[in-house]
Amino acid sequence: MARKKIREYDAKRLLAWHLKRLKGIHIPVQVAQVVDGGPSLAQLAKPTVDTEDHVTESVSETPVLQNGFGDHLFEEWNKDKSWLMESKLVVKPDMLFGKRGKSNLVKLNLNLDEASEIIESLLGSSLEVEGIKGRVTHFIVEPFVEHDAEYYFSVQSCREGNLVSFGCCGGVEIEQNWDKVKQVTIPAGEDPTGLDTILANQDLSFQVREQLEQFIKGCYLVFEDLDMTLLEMNPLTLNDRNHVIPLDMRCELDTYAMFKNQKKWLDIEFPESWGAQFTDEEHFIRSLDEKSGASLKLSLIHPKGHIWTMVAGGGASVIYADTVVDLGMGDELANYAEYSGNPKEEETYLFARTILDLATRYPDGKKRALLVGGGIANFTDIAATFAGIIQALKDFHGKLQVAKLKVFVRRGGPNYETGLRLMEELGEELDIPIEVYGPDSNMTCIVQKAIDWIRD
Amino acid sequence: MSCALFGSLKRVWRTLACSSPRLFSSSSVTNRPPPYVDKNTKVIVQGFTGRQGTFHSQQSIEYGTKIVGGVSPKKAGTMHLGCPVFATVEEAVKETKADASVIFVPPPGAAGAIEEAIKAEVGIIVCITEGIPQKDMVRVKTLLNDSTKSRLIGPNCPGILKPNECKIGIMPGYIHSPGCIGVVSRSGTLTYEAVDQTTKYNLGQSIVVGIGGDPFHGTTFMDCVDMFLNDSHTKGIVMIGEIGGNEEEETAELLKKSSIKKPVVSFIAGVTAPPGRRMGHAGAIISGGKGTAASKISALESAGATVVRSPAAIGAAMVEKMKEFQVNNVQSAKN
């Protein structure tokens, strides 16, 4: 399972769409998204007129479909944004971080001009939220909803099934009122008959209870059908026409289920978490990783650091990073990188090239080390895997000399002797220092050697 | 009225951690087969004729594993690597009387393959596949709970091995040697280090189990340590854990309560990872205070285990620990 957060804008659209499709329930969700570099809020608000010269409905109803998911009809529904000019608005950054109310980032009851001003002042700028800095690139804009009651509702997958929670005490102070929240676990694969108990003994009028019951049952169906791992609404309320509407919502999907849900998940995106702005090189490795059956990962930590790593295996790579830090050189640890699952030679080559490019970018006269480490491979041919790395080293050998980079290799597995010998010979051929170790030396021995080299 | 913050996920996790019933009790309680294989274990391969299935089956056969057949609906009725190919697991089990199955089926069909094996009452099911959706695994776990005949190892795991007798999975056979150390691990690579070291120190291994890196998995640390404690051939236990979840803590409890005491050496990967960050496996995520390396290390140490700070120290630490235990045993015998 791989849980990934999605934006509130996408979560609300998915929910509205599929509630209608699965249960015929209509929730009056109207959302607009302003993206850094895209059309401004004022531009989005201009009414759309189609070729037959009739303006689309101002109250958006999600059309129910007979077959498929009718992506083109979804687009139509999405296009009509005339409500931006007709209602008072709520504006929030939509960047996968919570506690926006407490951070004073929720702006209410604005007209279009006021909303545009707020967005303009914050869009594209840097912000620090709970200690993490990031750039605000997306805003969600919705109609301001007058309401009284604030409910809390969530569904979350857990070991035994799905944990459903509901409370009449929703809102900013939910944590203090957590004891008033009712919970029930629906065992995996079972019909959610237990959901009725969630609303029992809660202080609700008959009419409201009925509405909420329908809504909660519908949400549960959507949760299961879309392979969600988390769906949380706080607060949830009813508008003046007694329709249930989530004011604040958060959602996570299991991306391992991507292969079956591409159509159901429509056009939503899976953004990186707040503060995780990626460099071009990290993006590049991610795209390699996505296309490959193997695993290729790169995270930059201290781009000007003097200890670089390129380790085989998810577990081993974490160990190398830990060992560098344990030995007191955490500030010099430039990156985390791992490759595993038998990547092709071209993939290893591009992977190694990217790391060497970064490692030789800031020559400063001081020595650097590259740890080409790993454990004992089970079935990858070491000599074959090294082929890609060796080619990359050849490409960069001039820069390696300028950057005073020494390569430390530790590896075991099928054909490792040949692999290590090829590395040694390469060192002689290109006149760059390369030290090799096989399975007789422990896995992280090269870390201390690299540190000694740098400090010398 | 201002718009609200979201409810505390931390709070929900705490609720879950305290109230969740144990989904996989140890074998001694459920009569489910323990995570154990040997030279008599008859194995079938699901996804037998695919590239992965073929390659690793060949290796297993060379190691001496009793592969008795495989499942591949498209090639049913033919022979592959000298073994019969069947259309279904049920047929394969009926004809071959297999005790175990190994699954090399890609994610879209993997959960279905596990379910098929459970329905056919296969005793040990090893699923190598990585990337099975959570909803599918939750369904699998429900089926497993209702079954007393089947044990799942994995998914997303390297497998289980008894030196010179049986190799089910993708680990390198040649580094293992028959001996007395039970090894259980979440990480493939680090398992091989522990195995290599215990081989070099002439301790050898009794059984090696890779339980895999996914948050939802069929066999836990507790299941394996329980088996090791009760297995007369296992004299020492190596446990390789990772940040995330609380199995290592639960195992510490098991060690404390057990009347049988054996030397335990452990290593926890991911000490330097900050909370919320994902590194290595999808399973190694810290949430809300629980599952940090510090909490695991202190739990295990309080249960009498030696927790080494570097995987390089595992072998040597085990030798020391075994000596300690021998001395203590002699002392208590004297008293």
Side-chain angles (χ1 to χ4, degrees):
Chain A
M1 169 259 314
R3 335 166 94 109
K4 283 225 105 185
K5 293 182 183 171
I6 59 174
R7 298 195 201 275
E8 191 178 4
Y9 171 72
D10 288 331
K12 284 181 169 165
R13 293 187 306 143
L14 270 187
L15 184 67
W17 184 252
H18 291 284
L19 264 179
K20 191 84 181 198
R21 178 180 73 87
L22 286 171
K23 266 231 148 182
I25 296 175
H26 164 73
I27 53 169
V29 161
Q30 288 168 309
V31 285
Q33 184 181 64
V34 183
V35 183
D36 190 26
S40 69
L41 191 62
Q43 286 170 322
L44 287 174
K46 290 195 194 120
T48 48
V49 181
D50 69 19
T51 49
E52 265 129 322
D53 216 26
H54 92 282
V55 183
T56 43
E57 296 277 298
S58 57
V59 175
S60 38
E61 281 268 342
T62 48
V64 180
L65 301 159
Q66 301 301 90
N67 40 36
F69 303 108
D71 303 26
H72 64 286
L73 285 166
F74 186 72
E75 264 308 301
E76 281 298 311
W77 171 66
N78 258 336
K79 276 201 197 122
D80 170 45
K81 298 281 182 280
S82 46
W83 54 268
L84 284 169
M85 294 191 293
E86 290 154 19
S87 338
K88 285 290 191 153
L89 304 171
V90 173
V91 168
K92 297 179 271 185
D94 197 1
M95 300 297 298
L96 304 188
F97 61 77
K99 300 200 166 70
R100 291 173 289 185
K102 286 198 170 153
S103 301
N104 200 24
L105 288 168
V106 178
K107 308 296 178 189
L108 305 170
N109 213 2
L110 312 167
N111 63 33
L112 187 63
D113 288 332
E114 289 165 336
S116 296
E117 223 181 278
I118 293 204
I119 292 176
E120 218 141 309
S121 70
L122 277 174
L123 200 60
S125 61
S126 202
L127 197 66
E128 182 162 330
V129 179
E130 300 210 301
I132 302 179
K133 282 206 194 104
R135 241 185 85 236
V136 182
T137 53
H138 291 68
F139 268 91
I140 179 175
V141 183
E142 306 167 274
F144 176 66
V145 175
E146 293 277 3
H147 63 280
D148 294 311
E150 292 196 335
Y151 305 109
Y152 173 89
F153 171 63
S154 70
V155 187
Q156 184 186 11
S157 56
C158 60
R159 286 182 188 276
E160 298 77 21
N162 294 320
L163 179 68
V164 184
S165 313
F166 180 87
C168 290
C169 48
V172 192
E173 302 305 321
I174 183 66
E175 284 177 41
Q176 278 89 306
N177 293 318
W178 192 253
D179 47 339
K180 301 203 188 88
V181 171
K182 254 224 156 146
Q183 297 187 301
V184 71
T185 303
I186 313 281
E190 272 186 31
D191 268 331
T193 44
L195 283 180
D196 296 331
T197 59
I198 272 262
L199 295 175
N201 299 326
Q202 301 267 19
D203 185 19
L204 304 163
S205 75
F206 178 73
Q207 207 192 14
V208 169
R209 186 190 302 273
E210 266 208 329
Q211 292 277 77
L212 284 174
E213 210 178 280
Q214 283 309 302
F215 177 75
I216 284 173
K217 288 185 174 162
C219 284
Y220 189 87
L221 269 185
V222 173
F223 181 93
E224 284 276 87
D225 195 61
L226 259 55
D227 284 273
M228 291 185 177
T229 53
L230 171 72
L231 179 65
E232 188 183 41
M233 303 173 198
N234 184 34
L236 176 67
T237 192
L238 285 89
N239 66 6
D240 50 11
R241 286 154 89 188
N242 255 332
H243 283 140
V244 181
I245 181 164
L247 296 182
D248 241 26
M249 193 164 119
R250 170 176 168 192
C251 177
E252 288 177 13
L253 300 172
D254 177 11
T255 49
Y256 275 174
M258 175 94 75
F259 66 82
K260 40 174 161 155
N261 287 335
Q262 288 227 291
K263 286 203 105 185
K264 281 187 196 171
W265 288 350
L266 302 166
D267 63 346
I268 66 171
E269 55 160 323
F270 291 96
E272 284 319 305
S273 43
W274 173 245
Q277 238 75 31
F278 287 131
T279 62
D280 290 335
E281 292 84 6
E282 286 164 322
H283 269 301
F284 175 63
I285 300 298
R286 298 185 103 232
S287 67
L288 271 186
D289 183 52
E290 267 154 41
K291 290 186 209 125
S292 172
S295 167
L296 299 151
K297 309 276 188 292
L298 172 67
S299 285
L300 274 180
I301 307 172
H302 298 115
K304 297 200 176 161
H306 295 81
I307 300 182
W308 291 81
T309 64
M310 183 160 61
V311 178
S317 49
V318 171
I319 304 301
Y320 278 87
D322 284 351
T323 310
V324 173
V325 174
D326 278 347
L327 293 173
M329 298 290 272
D331 289 338
E332 289 292 354
L333 181 62
N335 72 318
Y336 165 83
E338 77 101 354
Y339 65 102
S340 56
N342 210 1
K344 303 195 205 107
E345 191 180 317
E346 314 94 80
E347 289 166 344
T348 323
Y349 167 66
L350 291 169
F351 184 68
R353 267 198 69 112
T354 308
I355 296 174
L356 290 175
D357 182 21
L358 290 163
T360 56
R361 196 172 284 182
Y362 303 108
D364 53 5
K366 291 200 261 186
K367 293 179 184 167
R368 283 151 198 277
L370 173 67
L371 303 172
V372 179
I376 299 162
N378 37 15
F379 55 86
T380 10
D381 180 325
I382 301 302
T385 319
F386 278 179
I389 302 176
I390 286 172
Q391 189 54 53
L393 285 168
K394 284 188 183 158
D395 287 358
F396 274 83
H397 82 270
K399 288 195 171 165
L400 291 172
Q401 285 165 338
V402 172
K404 293 193 159 190
L405 193 103
K406 180 166 177 176
V407 184
F408 295 84
V409 184
R410 189 277 183 179
R411 199 74 165 105
N415 223 359
Y416 81 89
E417 298 96 332
T418 311
L420 293 183
R421 188 175 40 82
L422 286 170
M423 283 283 193
E424 268 185 323
E425 285 170 4
L426 184 77
E428 287 158 22
E429 185 192 318
L430 302 177
D431 196 22
I432 35 175
I434 300 186
E435 251 176 55
V436 302
Y437 298 89
D440 286 338
S441 311
N442 72 60
M443 198 168 78
T444 46
C445 67
I446 53 175
V447 180
Q448 187 61 60
K449 297 196 193 290
I451 293 173
D452 292 339
W453 154 261
I454 289 176
R455 283 196 180 139
D456 198 12
Chain B
M1 203 177 306
S2 58
C3 248
L5 55 77
F6 297 120
S8 169
L9 199 58
K10 240 186 239 185
R11 200 60 189 265
V12 180
W13 272 114
R14 259 178 251 144
T15 314
L16 289 175
C18 298
S19 65
S20 59
R22 185 91 78 81
L23 200 60
F24 287 99
S25 316
S26 61
S27 321
S28 41
V29 176
T30 59
N31 294 327
R32 203 188 294 284
Y36 178 87
V37 294
D38 64 21
K39 59 180 185 281
N40 298 316
T41 309
K42 297 192 282 291
V43 187
I44 53 169
V45 183
Q46 291 173 253
F48 192 28
T49 55
R51 202 162 55 95
Q52 292 296 309
T54 303
F55 179 81
H56 291 293
S57 299
Q58 238 157 4
Q59 299 226 312
S60 283
I61 292 171
E62 278 162 29
Y63 194 74
T65 314
K66 263 205 174 74
I67 303 229
V68 294
V71 181
S72 172
K74 292 190 192 140
K75 302 220 172 133
T78 62
M79 293 291 278
H80 186 61
L81 303 179
C83 303
V85 182
F86 300 94
T88 64
V89 177
E90 202 184 319
E91 234 184 279
V93 170
K94 187 160 151 251
E95 296 301 316
T96 64
K97 309 278 183 281
D99 313 294
S101 172
V102 61
I103 296 176
F104 288 103
V105 176
I114 302 175
E115 285 169 28
E116 211 192 320
I118 296 171
K119 290 189 180 137
E121 298 190 337
V122 176
I124 305 261
I125 306 167
V126 183
C127 183
I128 310 295
T129 311
E130 176 175 9
I132 303 179
Q134 174 174 320
K135 202 167 80 187
D136 291 3
M137 273 322 290
V138 176
R139 214 173 56 227
V140 165
K141 286 176 81 132
T142 315
L143 260 187
L144 268 174
N145 266 0
D146 292 338
S147 134
T148 48
K149 302 262 169 61
S150 299
R151 160 172 299 283
L152 171 68
I153 301 179
N156 185 19
C157 78
I160 178 172
L161 182 150
K162 183 165 204 284
N164 291 356
E165 294 192 31
C166 180
K167 170 172 126 76
I168 302 182
I170 60 171
M171 65 289 272
Y174 68 94
I175 53 172
H176 298 74
S177 63
C180 63
I181 306 295
V183 181
V184 56
S185 166
R186 279 160 75 170
S187 150
T189 320
L190 295 181
T191 322
Y192 315 148
E193 286 300 305
V195 164
D196 193 54
Q197 286 172 42
T198 45
T199 293
K200 291 203 166 107
Y201 277 103
N202 292 321
L203 292 169
Q205 305 84 38
S206 52
I207 300 275
V208 180
V209 190
I211 61 175
D214 273 8
F216 281 71
H217 49 279
T219 293
T220 60
F221 274 127
M222 296 81 79
D223 295 329
C224 297
V225 169
D226 187 48
M227 187 231 347
F228 291 146
L229 286 169
N230 289 298
D231 172 43
S232 55
H233 297 291
T234 300
K235 307 265 192 281
I237 302 171
V238 171
M239 253 183 73
I240 303 185
E242 263 181 10
I243 52 173
N246 60 354
E247 268 180 41
E248 290 86 350
E249 290 90 334
E250 284 190 51
T251 308
E253 283 308 299
L254 193 121
L255 287 170
K256 280 184 196 158
K257 293 197 181 120
S258 165
S259 52
I260 307 170
K261 302 286 183 201
K262 293 186 182 175
V264 178
V265 171
S266 181
F267 174 73
I268 307 294
V271 176
T272 47
R277 196 64 57 81
R278 215 174 260 160
M279 287 168 78
H281 296 125
I285 303 166
I286 308 174
S287 29
K290 266 213 174 273
T292 59
S295 89
K296 291 169 195 298
I297 292 172
S298 85
L300 287 165
E301 281 178 344
S302 73
T306 295
V307 183
V308 295
R309 298 309 195 260
S310 156
I314 292 173
M318 181 51 86
V319 172
E320 278 310 303
K321 199 91 179 168
M322 303 262 291
K323 281 198 196 129
E324 245 178 69
F325 263 69
Q326 273 171 341
V327 169
N328 285 341
N329 285 346
V330 170
Q331 294 283 44
S332 47
K334 278 187 189 159
N335 297 348

